[in-house]
Amino acid sequence: MKKKIEFLDLGQQPLANYYLDKSQINKIERKYRLIICFDNQSKLVSIKKTFSSKMMFNNKYPYRSSMSQTMQKSFKELARQIKKKINPKRILEIGSNDGSFLKNFNKKKTIGIEPCANVERITKKKKFNTIPKYWNTKLARNILKKHGSMDLIYSANTISHIKDLNDVFKSINIVLSTSGTLILEDPSLLECLKRNTYDQFYNEHIYVFSYLSLKNILRKHNLEIYKIENLDIHGGSNRYFIKRIINNIKIEISVKRQNKEEIKYGIDKKATYFKFQKRVESSKKKLISIFKYCKSKNKKIIGYGATAKSTTILNYCKINNQTIDYFLDTTKDKQNKYTPGTKIKIEEYKGVIKNDVGYVFLGAWNFKKEIFKKEKKYIKAGGKFIIHTPFPKII
Ligand code: JHZ
């Protein structure tokens, strides 16, 4: 029986975080076909075509986790929980980005791994110990030799970006202390399917994990999940608390609950994925018709939050600079650049949405609450947002 089943084709796509300079917009961009697969044996959902880490995560990486209050709050709250319940002496973060998580801890206790040197530098400037390298067994051995074992390893939105998962966990096993805790946080496949957020798939998200698939990988490395928190972060993420199998920590009810929910939804069945594919196709049609309607009203349409996710949506639905005037984004490294593939100018967010804007396409829909709170004035004045999840609509 064929193990890997291709269930969704999101068309020709550029690299999601590869924003273009003005000089690049007339040049041919590198594109690939974004096809999503389900492995019937391991239950792992992955993208078919992958790129090297060097190509995706280098010293031009634009993403900063500090750009959202929601993320900052979430990291702060987790740090509080860690200090109270685990009280680790040594903490390692894999994919520390600009230090939004680490900054909640004593500098002497932490090490951050961040291969994107431009982002790593930001945390280093704040006097944190950071290493601009990719996570692998060589690095893990060096860390162990220099700093000893770690009793807490945390990684948010990073493990799903590394192709060789066996190497990831082999490396973790080298550094994690015998009684250590591993906390992983990544988008939830169950929520992605339920909310029709097909934009969770792009070149950086090599995997979108379910509990079932992650459990299978961890078991191979003598690790197991003992607690799961369902978070609203990034449109529905899971925070997995993981221990070595040999350690006698009680497996909490949240694990059983997640298992039950995923089985009930059919996350282990290929039919579930073909149903999702149908919903994605109809989502595309609906979104295109919404944009056509908005355009017919002769009002300006802009984008809000030039996310990696929106690269998938815009390229899949072929919505480009003919439809969206410009994007607003708070990230300096994205401003005055153009969205990959669709070439929509990204402008600096200066605190207000201009009066002439009729519709705002919410690229950063995962921060809807935070953004709606900020944009009360625009909403009060009758401004409308276009959102694609769970179904495309104008709100
Ligand atoms: P955001 C990135 O994905 C890439 P993206 C990566 N692969 C990943 O997994 C996730 O992050 C975690 C802007 N913004 O977080 C800032 C505003 O302008 O959804 C960001 O550019 N105003 C590592 O890019 C973007 O939106 C605001 O008020 O899909 C949000 O990007 C807010 C809240 C955000 O991740």
Side-chain angles (χ1 to χ4, degrees), residues 17 19 57 61 63-64 67-69 71 157 161 187 202 204-205 234 304-310 328-331 334 349 363-364 366-367 370-371 374:
N17 262 316
Y19 298 91
F57 309 112
Y61 197 62
Y63 179 70
R64 309 280 181 276
M67 282 299 121
S68 121
Q69 291 302 319
M71 288 302 291
N157 301 301
H161 299 55
Y202 52 92
E204 289 179 16
H205 285 182
H234 288 302
Y304 197 115
T307 57
K309 295 183 290 293
S310 54
L328 291 175
D329 200 289
T330 49
T331 316
K334 293 185 185 177
Y349 174 74
N366 43 317
F367 298 121
E370 180 178 337
I371 291 170
K374 225 165 44 177

Side-chain angles (χ1 to χ4, degrees), residues 300-333:
K300 193 169 267 179
I301 309 171
I302 67 158
Y304 197 115
T307 57
K309 295 183 290 293
S310 54
T311 299
T312 296
I313 304 177
L314 299 176
N315 285 281
Y316 176 54
C317 299
K318 299 194 170 53
I319 295 157
N320 56 24
N321 54 12
Q322 300 294 305
T323 305
I324 296 180
D325 252 59
Y326 57 89
F327 258 90
L328 291 175
D329 200 289
T330 49
T331 316
K332 280 234 151 8
D333 283 358

Side-chain angles (χ1 to χ4, degrees), residues 193-211:
L193 299 178
K194 281 185 181 170
R195 304 182 196 198
N196 299 318
T197 48
Y198 59 88
D199 52 330
Q200 289 290 9
F201 296 106
Y202 52 92
N203 59 293
E204 289 179 16
H205 285 182
I206 298 173
Y207 308 101
V208 176
F209 295 122
S210 59
Y211 155 72

Side-chain angles (χ1 to χ4, degrees), residues 12-237:
Q12 288 293 324
Q13 294 278 349
L15 296 187
N17 262 316
Y18 201 84
Y19 298 91
L20 307 167
D21 287 329
K22 200 169 185 183
S23 65
Q24 293 171 304
I25 54 173
N26 292 321
K27 294 193 180 138
I28 294 170
E29 276 176 88
R30 184 184 185 135
K31 292 205 176 157
Y32 70 102
R33 196 153 199 110
L34 180 54
I35 292 172
I36 325 298
C37 311
F38 167 65
D39 188 319
N40 212 356
Q41 203 166 8
S42 68
K43 309 301 173 196
L44 192 58
V45 165
S46 60
I47 59 171
K48 188 177 177 188
K49 164 91 184 124
T50 55
F51 294 87
S52 70
S53 296
K54 266 192 193 138
M55 197 152 170
M56 300 188 285
F57 309 112
N58 47 47
N59 62 2
K60 291 200 171 57
Y61 197 62
Y63 179 70
R64 309 280 181 276
S65 52
S66 64
M67 282 299 121
S68 121
Q69 291 302 319
T70 314
M71 288 302 291
Q72 303 249 29
K73 238 171 91 186
S74 170
F75 286 139
K76 195 171 172 187
E77 174 50 30
L78 174 64
R80 200 189 56 79
Q81 200 193 124
I82 288 172
K83 282 178 201 162
K84 197 171 151 201
K85 297 203 177 139
I86 304 174
N87 193 21
K89 286 196 186 73
R90 302 289 304 155
I91 302 165
L92 177 82
E93 187 183 12
I94 307 169
S96 49
N97 199 273
D98 62 359
S100 306
F101 170 72
L102 289 183
K103 74 169 189 194
N104 297 294
F105 294 94
N106 182 330
K107 292 184 176 78
K108 287 187 195 134
K109 286 188 170 185
T110 64
I111 302 175
I113 311 296
E114 178 48 67
C116 304
N118 60 328
V119 189
E120 182 260 351
R121 234 174 277 132
I122 303 171
T123 323
K124 189 162 265 164
K125 263 196 186 150
K126 293 177 200 150
K127 306 259 181 300
F128 278 91
N129 185 3
T130 51
I131 308 175
K133 290 202 170 141
Y134 296 103
W135 179 245
N136 55 34
T137 46
K138 189 176 168 213
L139 178 63
R141 280 194 199 101
N142 283 340
I143 291 174
L144 182 70
K145 215 162 129 193
K146 204 165 160 203
H147 304 277
S149 62
M150 300 286 144
D151 33 20
L152 183 96
I153 300 181
Y154 176 63
S155 188
N157 301 301
T158 302
I159 300 304
S160 56
H161 299 55
I162 310 175
K163 190 172 177 185
D164 190 347
L165 291 174
N166 280 321
D167 190 70
V168 165
F169 292 110
K170 219 167 130 187
S171 311
I172 285 173
N173 261 331
I174 292 172
V175 174
L176 189 68
S177 67
T178 321
S179 59
T181 308
L182 165 67
I183 304 178
L184 298 181
E185 207 174 299
D186 280 289
S188 151
L189 180 64
L190 182 64
E191 291 309 313
C192 165
L193 299 178
K194 281 185 181 170
R195 304 182 196 198
N196 299 318
T197 48
Y198 59 88
D199 52 330
Q200 289 290 9
F201 296 106
Y202 52 92
N203 59 293
E204 289 179 16
H205 285 182
I206 298 173
Y207 308 101
V208 176
F209 295 122
S210 59
Y211 155 72
L212 285 182
S213 63
L214 190 61
K215 178 185 83 168
N216 289 339
I217 305 158
L218 289 169
R219 197 172 32 212
K220 287 201 247 166
H221 297 273
N222 299 315
L223 297 165
E224 75 181 325
I225 299 164
Y226 67 89
K227 178 179 163 183
I228 299 174
E229 284 176 5
N230 302 126
L231 312 171
D232 208 34
I233 290 285
H234 288 302
S237 297

